[in-house]
Amino acid sequence: MPKLTNACGEDRRWWGVMPILPAPVMGGIAKQMEAVGFEGCFSLQIYGPPFVPMAAVAAMTDTLKVSTGIAVAGTRSPVETAFAAMELDTISGGRFVLGLGTSLHSAVCGIYGEPKRKLLTHLREVVKVVRYVNANAHKGMEPVHGEYFNAEWTEMMLTAPPMREEIPIWIAALKDKLTSMALEIGDGLMVHALWTVDYTVAKKNFIEAELARFGRKRSDVEVNAWPWIAINDDKQQAINDSRATVAAYVGYKEYEAFFDTIGFGDEARACQLAGGEHGDVISVIKNVSDEMVEAFVKCGPVDEVLEKIEPFWDVVDSLCPMTPYRDLTMEQLTMYNGGLYQMVAEAKRRQAAS
């Protein structure tokens, strides 16, 4: 059996998503992740700052990396983002990865009440400021002036040295422009869950060409994918249980061009919801076919799903499998989450045996 490796010829790395629960429960989940062999875990920003739960997880674990997956760049000052990252890196003993993303105008403006900005320009500026503060707050900083951020640091006192002067920053992306920017300035590229297996494989040449354009090696950037996975011996039930999650994502007008690119434009338009209606996908769920579900969610028993996601490893370094989540009971969510642990444990066993 050939050695099972990732795109850089290294061991395959697995991440998980940490739900927001009482601390003892989160601690139990995190310890289970460590025991199974997960590399790390992410906390989503829905809707509070994702640094808080990762601090709790870091305090209850020894080896598990912790990351924001993602922290929305436009909802706080980049100075606060920098210090939150530095503090989490200290709490975790150097196990923190800062995951950043733009989100959508409809979320940044419509949920958080922030002004409309050029999302990519703003994110680039945030990354620059975060890195500058991380590296210099304990030494002294020169004034910074940008398109969206200006600081003279007149009230800034020198801080204690950080755990690390360079905390890894991974950038989440869906479309080409943001993907390119992540490959240019990021330490990692977190590809959107809408990147299907086939789409990810098709983007390999783009990723390599962009890295070459920016003078970077493939090993300079961790490529991390977030596939939806529904482990269930009853494959049709897994498909049915995943339909609402797919309907919710394809219903966003902002994603229409992307779905056109991958061949699901008509289906996406049939699922689009008006502003304020995204909490209820029942009215459009009938427009999501089994074929469309299976394009975005890998459904079935462990062996079948591992075979379906195998092509990812020719492009990515790590995977963060997620369960479908819309319109499911707690019992169903628990079952599908347990399936992810079974799958990762089996994948780790196969890698050790290869």
Side-chain angles (χ1 to χ4, degrees):
M1 181 179 181
K3 180 68 175 176
L4 299 177
T5 61
N6 63 17
C8 285
E10 302 168 343
D11 284 347
R12 298 172 175 185
R13 297 185 282 274
W14 296 87
W15 288 68
V17 175
M18 178 62 67
I20 308 302
L21 297 164
V25 181
M26 289 173 62
I29 294 172
K31 290 182 174 77
Q32 185 179 6
M33 285 183 174
E34 282 190 321
V36 170
F38 279 77
E39 178 82 1
C41 69
F42 295 102
S43 180
L44 310 177
Q45 183 165 349
I46 310 174
Y47 294 97
F51 304 95
V52 175
M54 289 296 92
V57 170
M60 296 184 285
T61 54
D62 299 310
T63 61
L64 196 70
K65 292 180 181 178
V66 291
S67 179
T68 51
I70 60 170
V72 180
T75 63
R76 71 190 68 79
S77 162
V79 178
E80 181 179 341
T81 297
F83 279 106
M86 292 156 65
E87 289 167 2
L88 248 174
D89 204 44
T90 297
I91 292 168
S92 66
R95 288 182 281 141
F96 181 63
V97 175
L98 176 60
L100 287 174
T102 62
S103 190
L104 302 169
H105 285 301
S106 59
V108 176
C109 304
I111 296 173
Y112 296 98
E114 289 292 313
K116 191 170 184 177
R117 308 178 180 99
K118 291 180 285 186
L119 294 176
L120 271 66
T121 301
H122 179 257
L123 179 60
R124 182 185 290 273
E125 191 167 286
V126 168
V127 171
K128 182 178 179 179
V129 173
V130 167
R131 284 188 169 139
Y132 184 73
V133 172
N134 186 183
N136 294 285
H138 61 299
K139 303 173 183 176
M141 298 188 289
E142 297 296 324
V144 172
H145 299 288
E147 185 168 345
Y148 296 108
F149 177 81
N150 294 279
E152 298 289 339
W153 315 113
T154 53
E155 298 296 322
M156 178 74 74
M157 297 183 294
L158 293 182
T159 66
M163 175 67 64
R164 293 179 291 175
E165 290 188 4
E166 296 182 8
I167 295 171
I169 297 178
W170 294 7
I171 296 173
L174 173 63
K175 300 177 184 179
D176 283 357
K177 286 185 179 180
L178 187 49
T179 301
S180 178
M181 194 177 88
L183 295 168
E184 177 191 358
I185 67 173
D187 301 298
L189 162 66
M190 305 157 71
V191 303
H192 199 286
L194 293 175
W195 279 43
T196 65
V197 172
D198 291 344
Y199 185 80
T200 302
V201 170
K203 298 304 287 185
K204 180 179 181 180
N205 289 339
F206 175 80
I207 290 170
E208 292 175 348
E210 289 298 276
L211 286 170
R213 183 162 72 94
F214 298 125
R216 307 189 74 185
K217 302 188 296 294
R218 174 61 184 80
S219 58
D220 290 339
V221 180
E222 173 107 1
V223 180
N224 171 254
W226 289 51
W228 281 308
I229 287 171
I231 300 294
N232 194 329
D233 289 339
D234 185 341
K235 183 177 177 180
Q236 187 59 54
Q237 186 61 53
I239 292 171
N240 294 341
D241 290 342
S242 302
R243 206 179 308 276
T245 297
V246 175
Y249 270 84
V250 301
Y252 282 97
K253 177 71 174 175
E254 291 99 324
Y255 293 154
E256 182 178 325
F258 176 81
F259 286 108
D260 275 327
T261 300
I262 63 175
F264 286 107
D266 290 340
E267 292 89 340
R269 281 180 281 276
C271 291
Q272 281 178 8
L273 295 162
E277 295 180 359
H278 288 280
D280 181 9
V281 299
I282 299 302
S283 62
V284 296
I285 195 172
K286 63 183 181 298
N287 297 324
V288 178
S289 65
D290 286 7
E291 177 191 10
M292 192 173 187
V293 172
E294 289 197 87
F296 296 102
V297 187
K298 298 311 173 191
C299 303
V302 167
D303 289 346
E304 182 177 340
V305 170
L306 282 174
E307 182 179 351
K308 288 178 178 178
I309 65 174
E310 179 63 27
F312 268 124
W313 294 112
D314 192 42
V315 185
V316 309
D317 304 304
S318 55
L319 287 178
C320 178
M322 300 184 294
T323 67
Y325 65 96
R326 292 297 293 262
D327 293 351
L328 296 182
T329 66
M330 183 56 67
E331 182 180 5
Q332 288 172 308
L333 289 168
T334 300
M335 179 195 74
Y336 283 117
N337 197 55
L340 294 184
Y341 290 107
Q342 295 172 22
M343 183 190 72
V344 173
E346 174 60 17
K348 297 287 287 186
R349 185 196 67 77
R350 293 183 185 186
Q351 180 170 289
S354 68

